[in-house]
Amino acid sequence: MKQNSMPAGTAPGRNHFPPLNPVERETIQLFVQLARVLGQRPSFAEIYGLLFVSPRPLPQDDFIKRLNLSKGSASQGISYLLELGAVRTVAVDDRRVHYEAVAELRNLASRFLRQQVLANFEDSGARLDRIAAEAKKLSASEAEFALNRVKMLKSWSKNTRRILPVLLALLGSRNGK
Amino acid sequence: MKQNSMPAGTAPGRNHFPPLNPVERETIQLFVQLARVLGQRPSFAEIYGLLFVSPRPLPQDDFIKRLNLSKGSASQGISYLLELGAVRTVAVDDRRVHYEAVAELRNLASRFLRQQVLANFEDSGARLDRIAAEAKKLSASEAEFALNRVKMLKSWSKNTRRILPVLLALLGSRNGK
DNA sequence: TATTTATCTCAAAATAAATTGAACCTACCA
DNA sequence: TGGTAGGTTCAATTTATTTTGAGATAAATA
């Protein structure tokens, strides 16, 4: 079989967007499902999933065409994933920016925990102090109970912070070693 | 000041639903915020929050009136929280069922992780096998890459399962002991 | 410099999730 | 044995989130 015009049989070429094969479809679904548990948008998960199964970096065009996404979703999704550190840009001889998945669990989990989870716990300390202050204005027995609850919440928060580094260390180590 | 008709000055009485005080409001808000991170409904978090700050068990009436909830939300919320083990019923000399918060972090976290998080990972194993099977039908180089990705996902899932028991043990221990 | 191509922004539309409340059970009690 | 308080269920509504797409911007190309 002769090749014509297209540079090489294996290179997909600029305007070649084949439909998703079963491996791609299922992998993307896997990430969409995971995303749901973690409170992430399905369209963003699709993008990450496609990049994750792709042997080569992809430009935005690719997810727009192959995932049927709008330009807006693709752009928002990519910038979110970059910000999260789940995706990186790759230099390619093309005007378009190409992206690839960052596939190290340690990196992903660590950034996710820090940016999405921990960030939301940060300001709880201030709130707890406010609650304690208000609690002192209550009647003696009510104050006692409330202050006890605050103490409990503070210990929860301490416990949680204590655990994170351990968690990250465990995620980083390979295969239980 | 004389008491009349009401049994005792300190007992809230059947139809007494004072508005939330600042301690209650702030505590409830704390749980609502936490719930958002964990993907839980705000109305359910409100119920848990109110029970958490209440020195005595409360019947459904209480959250309906004091939190401005519909009967439906209260009922759904309570049954969800019971199912999750975040709330328990308390025997009280009253036809109405009274509830109190289960406030041990270890219990809460363990049940939450198991029911909400782990349950969603369970069936990913089957999907990974399907992906591997499909991958073998691809061209040699594509198959190699895809199978490698599957291997990676399997190791993620293994890592995650390995970590859970450690996590729970850490959450259960007090104050870093 | 004009034109084309890639990407971004954000208000509007579409979709999904949470909440309500009417209808319906089921004990209890008068 | 009929009335009522407490509780549940679920379709309809409300509210929140996600996605879209019509411009705007900017960089590369002609």
Short mmCIF file of all heavy atoms in Angstrom, two decimals, chain C residues 8-21:
data_model
loop_
_atom_site.label_atom_id
_atom_site.label_comp_id
_atom_site.label_asym_id
_atom_site.label_seq_id
_atom_site.Cartn_x
_atom_site.Cartn_y
_atom_site.Cartn_z
P DC C 8 -5.97 29.07 26.71
OP1 DC C 8 -4.89 29.16 27.72
OP2 DC C 8 -6.82 27.85 26.61
"O5'" DC C 8 -6.93 30.33 26.88
"C5'" DC C 8 -6.35 31.64 26.86
"C4'" DC C 8 -7.45 32.67 27.06
"O4'" DC C 8 -8.36 32.63 25.93
"C3'" DC C 8 -8.30 32.44 28.32
"O3'" DC C 8 -8.35 33.67 29.01
"C2'" DC C 8 -9.66 32.03 27.77
"C1'" DC C 8 -9.68 32.71 26.41
N1 DC C 8 -10.52 32.05 25.37
C2 DC C 8 -11.54 32.79 24.74
O2 DC C 8 -11.73 33.96 25.09
N3 DC C 8 -12.27 32.19 23.77
C4 DC C 8 -12.04 30.92 23.42
N4 DC C 8 -12.78 30.39 22.44
C5 DC C 8 -11.00 30.16 24.04
C6 DC C 8 -10.28 30.75 25.00
P DT C 9 -8.94 33.72 30.52
OP1 DT C 9 -7.91 34.33 31.36
OP2 DT C 9 -9.48 32.39 30.84
"O5'" DT C 9 -10.18 34.72 30.42
"C5'" DT C 9 -10.40 35.47 29.25
"C4'" DT C 9 -11.83 36.03 29.26
"O4'" DT C 9 -12.58 35.42 28.19
"C3'" DT C 9 -12.64 35.79 30.53
"O3'" DT C 9 -13.34 36.97 30.82
"C2'" DT C 9 -13.58 34.65 30.15
"C1'" DT C 9 -13.80 34.90 28.67
N1 DT C 9 -14.08 33.70 27.82
C2 DT C 9 -15.01 33.79 26.81
O2 DT C 9 -15.63 34.80 26.57
N3 DT C 9 -15.19 32.65 26.07
C4 DT C 9 -14.54 31.43 26.25
O4 DT C 9 -14.78 30.48 25.53
C5 DT C 9 -13.57 31.40 27.33
C7 DT C 9 -12.83 30.14 27.59
C6 DT C 9 -13.40 32.51 28.06
P DC C 10 -14.00 37.31 32.26
OP1 DC C 10 -13.57 38.69 32.61
OP2 DC C 10 -13.72 36.17 33.17
"O5'" DC C 10 -15.55 37.33 31.97
"C5'" DC C 10 -16.08 37.90 30.77
"C4'" DC C 10 -17.46 37.32 30.50
"O4'" DC C 10 -17.33 36.08 29.77
"C3'" DC C 10 -18.26 36.97 31.76
"O3'" DC C 10 -19.62 37.28 31.51
"C2'" DC C 10 -18.09 35.47 31.89
"C1'" DC C 10 -18.12 35.09 30.42
N1 DC C 10 -17.57 33.74 30.08
C2 DC C 10 -17.97 33.13 28.89
O2 DC C 10 -18.75 33.72 28.15
N3 DC C 10 -17.47 31.91 28.60
C4 DC C 10 -16.63 31.30 29.43
N4 DC C 10 -16.17 30.10 29.09
C5 DC C 10 -16.21 31.92 30.66
C6 DC C 10 -16.71 33.13 30.94
P DA C 11 -20.42 38.18 32.58
OP1 DA C 11 -19.86 39.54 32.52
OP2 DA C 11 -20.46 37.42 33.86
"O5'" DA C 11 -21.88 38.21 31.96
"C5'" DA C 11 -22.07 38.81 30.67
"C4'" DA C 11 -23.02 37.94 29.85
"O4'" DA C 11 -22.39 36.66 29.57
"C3'" DA C 11 -24.34 37.65 30.54
"O3'" DA C 11 -25.37 37.79 29.56
"C2'" DA C 11 -24.20 36.20 31.01
"C1'" DA C 11 -23.25 35.60 29.98
N9 DA C 11 -22.38 34.52 30.48
C8 DA C 11 -21.70 34.48 31.66
N7 DA C 11 -20.98 33.38 31.82
C5 DA C 11 -21.21 32.66 30.66
C6 DA C 11 -20.73 31.41 30.20
N6 DA C 11 -19.89 30.63 30.88
N1 DA C 11 -21.14 30.99 28.98
C2 DA C 11 -21.98 31.78 28.27
N3 DA C 11 -22.49 32.97 28.60
C4 DA C 11 -22.06 33.35 29.81
P DA C 12 -26.90 37.41 29.90
OP1 DA C 12 -27.78 38.34 29.14
OP2 DA C 12 -27.05 37.23 31.37
"O5'" DA C 12 -27.00 35.98 29.22
"C5'" DA C 12 -26.86 35.89 27.81
"C4'" DA C 12 -27.15 34.46 27.39
"O4'" DA C 12 -26.17 33.58 27.98
"C3'" DA C 12 -28.52 33.94 27.83
"O3'" DA C 12 -29.04 33.20 26.73
"C2'" DA C 12 -28.19 33.06 29.03
"C1'" DA C 12 -26.82 32.52 28.65
N9 DA C 12 -25.95 32.13 29.78
C8 DA C 12 -25.71 32.81 30.94
N7 DA C 12 -24.86 32.21 31.74
C5 DA C 12 -24.51 31.07 31.05
C6 DA C 12 -23.62 30.00 31.35
N6 DA C 12 -22.91 29.92 32.46
N1 DA C 12 -23.50 29.02 30.44
C2 DA C 12 -24.21 29.10 29.31
N3 DA C 12 -25.06 30.03 28.90
C4 DA C 12 -25.17 31.00 29.83
P DA C 13 -30.46 32.45 26.90
OP1 DA C 13 -31.18 32.64 25.62
OP2 DA C 13 -31.08 32.80 28.20
"O5'" DA C 13 -30.00 30.93 26.97
"C5'" DA C 13 -29.25 30.41 25.88
"C4'" DA C 13 -28.99 28.95 26.11
"O4'" DA C 13 -28.10 28.79 27.24
"C3'" DA C 13 -30.24 28.12 26.42
"O3'" DA C 13 -30.22 27.00 25.55
"C2'" DA C 13 -30.12 27.78 27.91
"C1'" DA C 13 -28.60 27.85 28.15
N9 DA C 13 -28.21 28.31 29.49
C8 DA C 13 -28.66 29.41 30.17
N7 DA C 13 -28.09 29.58 31.34
C5 DA C 13 -27.20 28.53 31.44
C6 DA C 13 -26.28 28.15 32.45
N6 DA C 13 -26.12 28.83 33.59
N1 DA C 13 -25.55 27.05 32.22
C2 DA C 13 -25.71 26.38 31.08
N3 DA C 13 -26.53 26.64 30.05
C4 DA C 13 -27.25 27.74 30.31
P DA C 14 -31.14 25.72 25.82
OP1 DA C 14 -31.28 25.03 24.52
OP2 DA C 14 -32.31 26.14 26.61
"O5'" DA C 14 -30.21 24.83 26.75
"C5'" DA C 14 -29.03 24.26 26.19
"C4'" DA C 14 -28.46 23.26 27.17
"O4'" DA C 14 -28.16 23.92 28.42
"C3'" DA C 14 -29.41 22.11 27.52
"O3'" DA C 14 -28.63 20.93 27.45
"C2'" DA C 14 -29.89 22.43 28.93
"C1'" DA C 14 -28.69 23.17 29.51
N9 DA C 14 -28.97 24.14 30.56
C8 DA C 14 -29.95 25.10 30.58
N7 DA C 14 -29.93 25.86 31.65
C5 DA C 14 -28.87 25.36 32.39
C6 DA C 14 -28.32 25.74 33.63
N6 DA C 14 -28.81 26.73 34.38
N1 DA C 14 -27.27 25.05 34.09
C2 DA C 14 -26.79 24.04 33.34
N3 DA C 14 -27.20 23.61 32.14
C4 DA C 14 -28.27 24.32 31.73
P DT C 15 -29.29 19.49 27.70
OP1 DT C 15 -28.59 18.54 26.84
OP2 DT C 15 -30.75 19.65 27.69
"O5'" DT C 15 -28.83 19.22 29.21
"C5'" DT C 15 -27.44 19.26 29.51
"C4'" DT C 15 -27.27 19.08 30.99
"O4'" DT C 15 -27.69 20.26 31.71
"C3'" DT C 15 -28.08 17.92 31.57
"O3'" DT C 15 -27.12 16.98 31.99
"C2'" DT C 15 -28.91 18.54 32.71
"C1'" DT C 15 -28.18 19.84 32.98
N1 DT C 15 -29.00 20.98 33.48
C2 DT C 15 -28.58 21.65 34.62
O2 DT C 15 -27.59 21.34 35.24
N3 DT C 15 -29.38 22.69 34.99
C4 DT C 15 -30.53 23.13 34.36
O4 DT C 15 -31.16 24.08 34.81
C5 DT C 15 -30.91 22.40 33.18
C7 DT C 15 -32.14 22.80 32.44
C6 DT C 15 -30.14 21.37 32.80
P DA C 16 -27.43 15.74 32.92
OP1 DA C 16 -26.36 14.75 32.70
OP2 DA C 16 -28.85 15.40 32.71
"O5'" DA C 16 -27.27 16.32 34.40
"C5'" DA C 16 -26.05 16.90 34.80
"C4'" DA C 16 -26.12 17.22 36.27
"O4'" DA C 16 -27.00 18.34 36.51
"C3'" DA C 16 -26.66 16.07 37.13
"O3'" DA C 16 -25.84 16.02 38.25
"C2'" DA C 16 -28.10 16.49 37.42
"C1'" DA C 16 -27.96 18.00 37.50
N9 DA C 16 -29.15 18.78 37.20
C8 DA C 16 -30.03 18.62 36.15
N7 DA C 16 -31.00 19.50 36.13
C5 DA C 16 -30.75 20.30 37.23
C6 DA C 16 -31.42 21.43 37.76
N6 DA C 16 -32.52 21.94 37.21
N1 DA C 16 -30.90 21.99 38.86
C2 DA C 16 -29.79 21.48 39.40
N3 DA C 16 -29.07 20.43 38.99
C4 DA C 16 -29.61 19.88 37.89
P DA C 17 -25.99 14.93 39.39
OP1 DA C 17 -24.64 14.43 39.70
OP2 DA C 17 -27.09 14.01 39.03
"O5'" DA C 17 -26.47 15.84 40.61
"C5'" DA C 17 -25.77 17.03 40.94
"C4'" DA C 17 -26.48 17.72 42.08
"O4'" DA C 17 -27.65 18.38 41.57
"C3'" DA C 17 -26.93 16.77 43.17
"O3'" DA C 17 -26.45 17.32 44.38
"C2'" DA C 17 -28.46 16.74 43.04
"C1'" DA C 17 -28.77 18.08 42.39
N9 DA C 17 -29.92 18.09 41.49
C8 DA C 17 -30.23 17.20 40.49
N7 DA C 17 -31.32 17.50 39.84
C5 DA C 17 -31.76 18.66 40.45
C6 DA C 17 -32.88 19.49 40.21
N6 DA C 17 -33.78 19.26 39.26
N1 DA C 17 -33.02 20.58 40.99
C2 DA C 17 -32.11 20.83 41.94
N3 DA C 17 -31.02 20.13 42.25
C4 DA C 17 -30.91 19.05 41.46
P DA C 18 -26.88 16.84 45.79
OP1 DA C 18 -25.76 17.12 46.70
OP2 DA C 18 -27.44 15.49 45.67
"O5'" DA C 18 -28.06 17.86 46.14
"C5'" DA C 18 -27.75 19.23 46.29
"C4'" DA C 18 -28.98 19.97 46.79
"O4'" DA C 18 -30.05 19.85 45.84
"C3'" DA C 18 -29.53 19.47 48.12
"O3'" DA C 18 -29.76 20.63 48.90
"C2'" DA C 18 -30.83 18.74 47.74
"C1'" DA C 18 -31.24 19.44 46.46
N9 DA C 18 -31.92 18.62 45.45
C8 DA C 18 -31.53 17.40 44.97
N7 DA C 18 -32.30 16.92 44.03
C5 DA C 18 -33.27 17.90 43.87
C6 DA C 18 -34.39 17.99 43.02
N6 DA C 18 -34.73 17.06 42.13
N1 DA C 18 -35.15 19.11 43.12
C2 DA C 18 -34.80 20.05 44.00
N3 DA C 18 -33.77 20.08 44.86
C4 DA C 18 -33.04 18.95 44.74
P DT C 19 -30.38 20.60 50.34
OP1 DT C 19 -29.85 21.77 51.09
OP2 DT C 19 -30.26 19.23 50.88
"O5'" DT C 19 -31.92 20.87 50.02
"C5'" DT C 19 -32.29 22.14 49.50
"C4'" DT C 19 -33.80 22.18 49.31
"O4'" DT C 19 -34.17 21.23 48.29
"C3'" DT C 19 -34.60 21.82 50.55
"O3'" DT C 19 -35.32 22.99 50.93
"C2'" DT C 19 -35.52 20.65 50.10
"C1'" DT C 19 -35.46 20.73 48.58
N1 DT C 19 -35.57 19.45 47.81
C2 DT C 19 -36.53 19.31 46.83
O2 DT C 19 -37.34 20.18 46.57
N3 DT C 19 -36.52 18.10 46.17
C4 DT C 19 -35.66 17.04 46.37
O4 DT C 19 -35.75 16.01 45.70
C5 DT C 19 -34.66 17.25 47.41
C7 DT C 19 -33.67 16.16 47.70
C6 DT C 19 -34.66 18.41 48.07
P DT C 20 -36.33 22.96 52.14
OP1 DT C 20 -36.39 24.32 52.70
OP2 DT C 20 -36.03 21.80 52.99
"O5'" DT C 20 -37.71 22.67 51.40
"C5'" DT C 20 -38.12 23.59 50.39
"C4'" DT C 20 -39.36 23.07 49.68
"O4'" DT C 20 -39.06 21.79 49.10
"C3'" DT C 20 -40.56 22.85 50.60
"O3'" DT C 20 -41.59 23.70 50.13
"C2'" DT C 20 -40.90 21.36 50.46
"C1'" DT C 20 -40.21 20.97 49.18
N1 DT C 20 -39.69 19.58 49.04
C2 DT C 20 -40.15 18.79 48.02
O2 DT C 20 -41.00 19.16 47.23
N3 DT C 20 -39.59 17.54 47.95
C4 DT C 20 -38.62 17.01 48.78
O4 DT C 20 -38.19 15.88 48.60
C5 DT C 20 -38.17 17.89 49.83
C7 DT C 20 -37.11 17.42 50.78
C6 DT C 20 -38.72 19.12 49.91
P DG C 21 -42.80 24.16 51.07
OP1 DG C 21 -43.29 25.45 50.57
OP2 DG C 21 -42.37 24.00 52.46
"O5'" DG C 21 -43.89 23.04 50.73
"C5'" DG C 21 -44.33 22.91 49.39
"C4'" DG C 21 -45.23 21.69 49.27
"O4'" DG C 21 -44.43 20.49 49.23
"C3'" DG C 21 -46.20 21.49 50.44
"O3'" DG C 21 -47.37 20.91 49.90
"C2'" DG C 21 -45.48 20.48 51.31
"C1'" DG C 21 -44.89 19.60 50.23
N9 DG C 21 -43.76 18.77 50.63
C8 DG C 21 -42.92 18.96 51.70
N7 DG C 21 -41.99 18.04 51.79
C5 DG C 21 -42.25 17.21 50.71
C6 DG C 21 -41.59 16.03 50.28
O6 DG C 21 -40.59 15.49 50.78
N1 DG C 21 -42.17 15.48 49.14
C2 DG C 21 -43.26 16.00 48.49
N2 DG C 21 -43.70 15.35 47.41
N3 DG C 21 -43.90 17.10 48.88
C4 DG C 21 -43.34 17.64 49.99
#
